[in-house]
Amino acid sequence: MSTIDLNQLVTWRRELHRFPEIGWSEFTTTARLITELRNMGLEVIAGPKVINREFVRGRKADVVERGLALARERGVDEALLAEMDELTGCMATYDTGKPGPTIALRFDIDCVNVQECAIGEHVPNNEGFASKSAGLMHACGHDGHMSIGLGIAKWLVENGSSLSGKVKLLFQPAEEGVRGARPMAESGIVDDADYFLGMHLGFIAKTGEIVVNPNSFLCTTKYDFRFYGAPAHAGAEPHLGRNALAGACHAATQMLGISRHGKGMSRINVGVIRAGEGRNVVPAYGELQVEVRGEDETINSFMAEQVERMAAGAAHSFDLRLESEVMGEAVDLQNDKELIDLLTQVVGQYPELTAVPERVFGGSEDATILAKRVQRHGGKSLYFIVGADLKAGHHQAEFDFDEKQLATAANLFIGCLQKLMTK
Ligand SMILES: [Zn+2]
């Protein structure tokens, strides 16, 4: 059984907690990770080597620019920023030099649009490590995930010589909105992986509970649809206008009426509609933010095809130009039994931990895209939940978790590595 230095994990987590960055703007965070990992002696790649630009989802130019400007203000090395080439995230490799399996571990690095609470009892406030960025907070525990990844990296460098094979530590940007995994998968960096392991802290489980096979991960696709028409005076020349508001509205009501798939659960939400400038102007622009979900890929694709067709149909009806953009996506999760059993065994080594066989997750998480990519190339995948008592739920201003579970999570990963890489 490995023993990991909890104090070091807590120190890293608290440093990272101070500087939360929203998806695709994690330049300061990525630079810290690269520096830390290279100082340990690991080979690290970043930027276009880990993110396939063609598949980048939901990345806004102004958010990227602000992230870059802030990184420069904070004195981040220009050479590192050049290496990132406007794309965040990185991957460190630990190679034993001996033949053996390649194992990919994934940690997400972005924060949430939440203003951290000001109350004194909130640990980040009374211990002085609260977010320094207004309106941004590590309120989903990804600061913890990164520190777990760093802890495993350090353990490998110090203790990994008896193992065989290779470990790839992926630090994935833009998990929120399920945006970063697809372009990371499309870079090909997990295509040689025999095993994939990912995890979340504190969802659906208390301290001491390890959910070894969470289920009901929903496949999802997020869209922005933009309708472009032509403005006109609503009284004098309405016939010259092309009404983008009408197109957006028609598309929205049709989407909400999609027939449900008979083979399983599905969801549709039109969350935002924006159109119009003034009462007496034919609206020239309309926008919809839509998401569909499905129990599996077939059902989700069915929903996705319907909304795409309805957007195109409404645009055609009102003679509008349509721009469609996929803003995020995730798939379902099918953990491999070999790895469920392996983790259950590792959990069994710790008397204070209980392996919970199954529990409903009920949301979406884009680690599933990396997990599935590995499975499609013949590898095996596992995503699990490390319980951690919370002060408040995820994405809330008072969110905080039991920091001792950072060591639990790192030890579980290491336990799996030891079993997989000792043959
Ligand atoms: Zn999260």
Side-chain angles (χ1 to χ4, degrees), residues 108 140 142 145 175-176 200 203 395:
D108 42 9
C140 198
H142 301 181
H145 297 172
E175 189 282 327
E176 301 295 343
H200 209 296
F203 258 110
H395 296 199

Side-chain angles (χ1 to χ4, degrees), residues 231-423:
H233 191 289
E237 296 180 312
H239 57 289
L240 298 182
R242 287 180 284 123
N243 195 328
L245 179 149
C249 285
H250 273 254
T253 52
Q254 286 184 354
M255 287 172 187
L256 294 170
I258 296 171
S259 298
R260 289 306 180 266
H261 201 288
K263 295 274 155 58
M265 187 172 54
S266 62
R267 301 271 188 276
I268 163 85
N269 191 48
V270 181
V272 173
I273 181 163
R274 245 184 239 123
E277 291 134 313
R279 189 187 307 278
N280 57 0
V281 184
V282 173
Y285 177 74
E287 176 189 316
L288 296 179
Q289 293 180 19
V290 178
E291 61 163 42
V292 295
R293 299 181 196 241
E295 198 174 316
D296 61 29
E297 280 185 285
T298 310
I299 298 170
N300 188 63
S301 303
F302 167 80
M303 298 297 288
E305 279 160 27
Q306 304 289 316
V307 298
E308 283 179 26
R309 182 166 345 103
M310 283 162 181
H316 182 69
S317 293
F318 291 88
D319 196 15
L320 309 170
R321 182 169 67 82
L322 172 67
E323 228 176 63
S324 308
E325 188 179 353
V326 174
M327 303 303 283
E329 55 192 321
V331 295
D332 57 324
L333 176 77
Q334 305 293 338
N335 278 338
D336 283 292
K337 188 169 183 303
E338 178 190 334
L339 292 177
I340 298 172
D341 293 346
L342 182 96
L343 177 62
T344 306
Q345 274 180 36
V346 175
V347 172
Q349 297 173 340
Y350 296 87
E352 71 277 19
L353 301 180
T354 311
V356 178
E358 297 210 10
R359 195 168 280 172
V360 170
F361 187 81
S364 301
E365 153 65 274
D366 68 359
T368 52
I369 289 181
L370 291 157
K372 201 152 270 197
R373 176 92 172 193
V374 169
Q375 289 168 327
R376 287 202 172 127
H377 283 86
K380 304 218 155 111
S381 295
L382 180 78
Y383 184 88
F384 61 103
I385 307 292
V386 173
D389 288 343
L390 304 176
K391 290 282 152 27
H394 292 74
H395 296 199
Q396 293 178 31
E398 283 120 77
F399 174 83
D400 193 31
F401 59 84
D402 173 8
E403 284 178 321
K404 290 195 212 65
Q405 302 320 309
L406 296 172
T408 301
N411 283 328
L412 292 177
F413 273 112
I414 291 167
C416 291
L417 294 180
Q418 285 174 315
K419 285 186 184 291
L420 292 169
M421 300 174 77
T422 317
K423 292 254 159 83

Side-chain angles (χ1 to χ4, degrees), residues 28-350:
T28 306
T29 306
T30 302
R32 274 169 181 271
L33 291 168
I34 295 175
T35 306
E36 199 75 54
L37 293 159
R38 285 195 178 144
N39 286 344
M40 292 178 197
L42 291 168
E43 181 209 317
V44 184
I45 55 171
K49 291 189 177 142
V50 300
I51 298 287
N52 184 334
R53 227 180 269 272
E54 233 180 277
F55 292 87
V56 163
R57 307 298 195 214
R59 178 172 168 273
K60 297 253 155 62
D62 58 323
V63 172
V64 174
E65 265 162 47
R66 248 179 287 136
L68 270 171
L70 203 52
R72 293 203 162 97
E73 226 172 83
R74 289 167 175 160
V76 169
D77 184 2
E78 280 298 330
L80 284 180
L81 292 176
E83 192 179 341
M84 288 182 233
D85 195 8
E86 301 197 329
L87 297 169
T88 48
C90 63
M91 180 181 81
T93 303
Y94 174 77
D95 191 346
T96 63
K98 286 173 273 177
T102 295
I103 303 172
L105 311 181
R106 177 271 203 179
F107 309 93
D108 42 9
I109 71 171
D110 56 330
C111 79
V112 189
N113 284 302
V114 167
Q115 171 68 44
E116 187 149 21
C117 71
I119 51 174
E121 308 89 86
H122 182 58
V123 178
N125 290 332
N126 68 28
E127 298 275 338
F129 66 94
S131 166
K132 289 190 182 295
S133 298
L136 297 179
M137 176 186 173
H138 270 298
C140 198
H142 301 181
D143 48 349
H145 297 172
M146 288 186 271
S147 90
I148 293 163
L150 290 173
I152 296 165
K154 186 163 185 283
W155 184 89
L156 282 168
V157 169
E158 290 169 0
N159 305 284
S161 59
S162 61
L163 305 175
S164 303
K166 214 188 265 184
V167 182
K168 291 180 155 187
L169 298 131
L170 277 63
F171 292 88
Q172 183 210 302
E175 189 282 327
E176 301 295 343
V178 289
R179 297 170 289 164
R182 183 69 194 272
M184 202 163 223
E186 297 290 345
S187 76
I189 54 175
V190 296
D191 290 356
D192 63 344
D194 301 291
Y195 296 100
F196 173 85
L197 299 173
M199 152 309 325
H200 209 296
L201 268 176
F203 258 110
I204 65 168
K206 304 192 298 279
T207 286
E209 292 180 328
I210 310 299
V211 185
V212 297
N213 188 24
N215 57 30
S216 305
F217 281 74
L218 300 176
C219 296
T220 183
T221 312
K222 326 279 189 199
Y223 290 99
D224 277 6
F225 294 112
R226 301 177 202 105
F227 297 89
Y228 296 90
H233 191 289
E237 296 180 312
H239 57 289
L240 298 182
R242 287 180 284 123
N243 195 328
L245 179 149
C249 285
H250 273 254
T253 52
Q254 286 184 354
M255 287 172 187
L256 294 170
I258 296 171
S259 298
R260 289 306 180 266
H261 201 288
K263 295 274 155 58
M265 187 172 54
S266 62
R267 301 271 188 276
I268 163 85
N269 191 48
V270 181
V272 173
I273 181 163
R274 245 184 239 123
E277 291 134 313
R279 189 187 307 278
N280 57 0
V281 184
V282 173
Y285 177 74
E287 176 189 316
L288 296 179
Q289 293 180 19
V290 178
E291 61 163 42
V292 295
R293 299 181 196 241
E295 198 174 316
D296 61 29
E297 280 185 285
T298 310
I299 298 170
N300 188 63
S301 303
F302 167 80
M303 298 297 288
E305 279 160 27
Q306 304 289 316
V307 298
E308 283 179 26
R309 182 166 345 103
M310 283 162 181
H316 182 69
S317 293
F318 291 88
D319 196 15
L320 309 170
R321 182 169 67 82
L322 172 67
E323 228 176 63
S324 308
E325 188 179 353
V326 174
M327 303 303 283
E329 55 192 321
V331 295
D332 57 324
L333 176 77
Q334 305 293 338
N335 278 338
D336 283 292
K337 188 169 183 303
E338 178 190 334
L339 292 177
I340 298 172
D341 293 346
L342 182 96
L343 177 62
T344 306
Q345 274 180 36
V346 175
V347 172
Q349 297 173 340
Y350 296 87

